[in-house]
Amino acid sequence: MASNLSAAPDFHLTIPQSDKRRPIFFTAPIRQNLTKKRLTISCNSSRSSPKSSRNLKESLNPKNPSLSDQLKPLSATTLSTTEDNRTHLLSKPKSTWVNPTKPRKSVLSLQRQKRSPYSLNPIVKELRLFAQKLNDCDSSNETTFLSLLEQIPYPLTRENALLILNSLKPWQKAHLFFNWIKTQNSFPMETIFYNVVMKSLRFGRQFELIDNLANEMVSNEIELDNITYSTIITCAKRCNMFDKALEWFERMYKTGLMPDEVTYSAVLDVYAKLGKVEEVLSLYERGVASGWKPDPITFSVLAKMFGEAGDYDGIRFVLQEMKSLGVQPNLVVYNTLLEAMGRAGKPGLARSLFEEMVESGVTPNEKSLTVLAKIYGKARWAKDAMELWERMRSNDWPMDFILFNTLLSMCADLGMEEEAERLFEDMKRSEHCRPDSWSYTAMLNIYGSGGNASKAMDLFEEMSKLGVDINVMGCTCLIQCLGKSRRIDDLVRVFNVSIERGVNPDDRLCGCLLSVVSLCEESEDANRVLACLQQANPRLVALVRLIEEEKTSYETVKEEFRVIVGDTAVEARRPFCNCLIDICRSRNLHGRAHELLYLGTLYGLYPDLHHKTADEWSLDVRSLSVGAAHTALEEWMGTLTKFVQRNEALPEMFSAHTGTGTHRFSQGLANAFAAHVEKLSAPFRQCEERAGCFVATRDDLVTWVRSRSPSPIIA
DNA sequence: GTAGGGTTAG
């Protein structure tokens, strides 16, 4: 074992023994694991594929272990207790102690690959014109293109060919031209030609062609350099072929070529996109330990990764690292961090970071403002949203289509109707940002949630006139609004027209129709809405008919309910159940309503309804409809009554959470709850300290139960 | 888009 160890190649990814900067990686068990793994890899390395065995370099370096194999022990052992280690890594102060007798092994080249100098070409202008002519020709006709090539006005030198190759788009033309140069045999094909055409192919996401070209380079012994590898890797990444990206990175290591910082950060992004946070951190650490000073692009990759994970500690780590390494965030890093803060649920910190960005002299662009508008809308920070809006106007910050639409959505979230109307008019007047179906959807959302059915219908007519397609969300908003205003004629028409125009009703739209059914007082209206629903979800209509029929057994309802819930999108399951309960209550089928609440609980639709501690039992009805909340309260009171009657131990305090109904869509629950409690004379009072919360003491509740309950109570 | 890496919408 010992002799094997010493014989093992001193590969550049070997963990530096002296580095104390991130102690978690350098404990003895990890090192042993790494070493064991390396031996395994050395034994298996003769198992090379037929293709790679043709590659001299690769087969001559069988002892180079692969990168991911070296990472495996880290993720499989130390990193399996990830939480502890992560905390450790993200919070441990750095030590700069370095053992001078054991120099660090490098995992990347600190020198970025130099580009070969481009010789100045005196006929650039004419060649560009020629390339333009090629770009303009009918791209579907290969023969035309190839015959045009014969008219090249200058000799096909290396420089001339490169210039044209660089100017050709789309990728099909660059690829044709590349293949044509090869047939001309005017000069040897160098790496740069492959690199240029690969970049073009990457725009077309043609990974297979790139993969083939790369293998062709290997076969023809044309050197693959860092530019080649980074292009291959990023193309695979953009095609979501992450395994291929890592495969090529490993092939690079096996040939003994060191990645430079561009390739290295591209691979960091591959691991980041795979959600392999530990591997990214491990690579990052090793890079830094090799003396690499990561640039803003690397930090953007890290920030994006932590943002995706909603990992606030990770975001702090990125900020800390940049500070301690003296890297000033640029616009992209700020934008990525802003979005990450939003995802981590930190709107306040996003706001501070935005101020810091502006103060540091970085002018926000469309993306920064889009991200921030989204955050303020989601957080319902109307005041900040308004201020942002004013600043955008007064500073003349840039606007684009996405920003317009995001601002409209933000207005919809915050009920900012007038501002939305101004924006919408701005869009209509603009040249490049005319309202599209997304913009109309936001406006339908605003008018719909504000109960302005007439304006919403006007928009719908306008869309028909202008030929803007209505989408399923716009249709849902409009139908919800028309239902609340009981404009059933319009509702039916909107539904039918939308279906004709290709809207594919989803479960949310069905839920919306079902909620309208629960609102209909006239059975004729309900039947017309059900006829719409019949087109979209006949089985749901059948369930409504079943539950309305008193003689339907509980078992039958249960089975049908189970099947429907299983077939429904997760986000629409609870709304379905809420509406069904509401329908029962509006038809005085209270027993059925209780059955449905029970079934909803059984199938996990109300996971947080009850909460118990030693001191307090609470009922959280915030995600319930009014009818479902009534039912849940009745159920709870029934249970508590039994407890009181049996003299069982009860906590000091009881609370019911309705929420404050600040959101325009969810008004009324607190009011309805208060009215219901009053009707029952139940001792629940609105809690002053906790908004949207009703509380009752044990003593009051017991007194109340006893006063209502004639059944024998054991004192 | 002028040989390679990172950011924007229910």
Side-chain angles (χ1 to χ4, degrees), chain A residues 5-68:
Chain A
L5 264 177
S6 56
D10 204 4
F11 182 62
H12 34 253
L13 269 184
T14 307
I15 288 175
Q17 296 172 29
S18 59
D19 197 308
K20 291 275 170 70
R21 195 164 166 271
R22 293 283 184 268
I24 70 150
F25 295 116
F26 309 125
T27 53
I30 318 172
R31 289 198 52 246
Q32 280 163 12
N33 267 323
L34 270 172
T35 326
K36 272 186 212 157
K37 197 74 192 181
R38 281 172 53 191
L39 288 173
T40 326
I41 294 156
S42 297
C43 299
N44 291 342
S45 59
S46 55
R47 200 172 35 115
S48 45
S49 69
K51 236 174 199 171
S52 66
S53 67
R54 283 209 306 270
N55 178 1
L56 264 180
K57 278 186 183 167
E58 284 181 26
S59 53
L60 282 177
N61 287 286
K63 285 176 184 161
N64 285 339
S66 77
L67 181 76
S68 69

Side-chain angles (χ1 to χ4, degrees), chain A residues 386-399:
Chain A
M386 290 299 294
E387 279 173 18
L388 177 68
W389 167 268
E390 292 304 326
R391 279 169 84 183
M392 283 171 55
R393 300 231 158 206
S394 61
N395 290 318
D396 217 10
W397 280 339
M399 292 282 278

Side-chain angles (χ1 to χ4, degrees), chain A residues 491-493 495-496 513 527-537 541:
Chain A
L491 184 149
V492 172
R493 186 163 63 88
F495 180 82
N496 288 325
L513 287 168
N527 285 335
R528 290 166 69 201
V529 180
L530 282 168
C532 295
L533 188 57
Q534 179 73 28
Q535 296 178 51
N537 192 337
V541 176

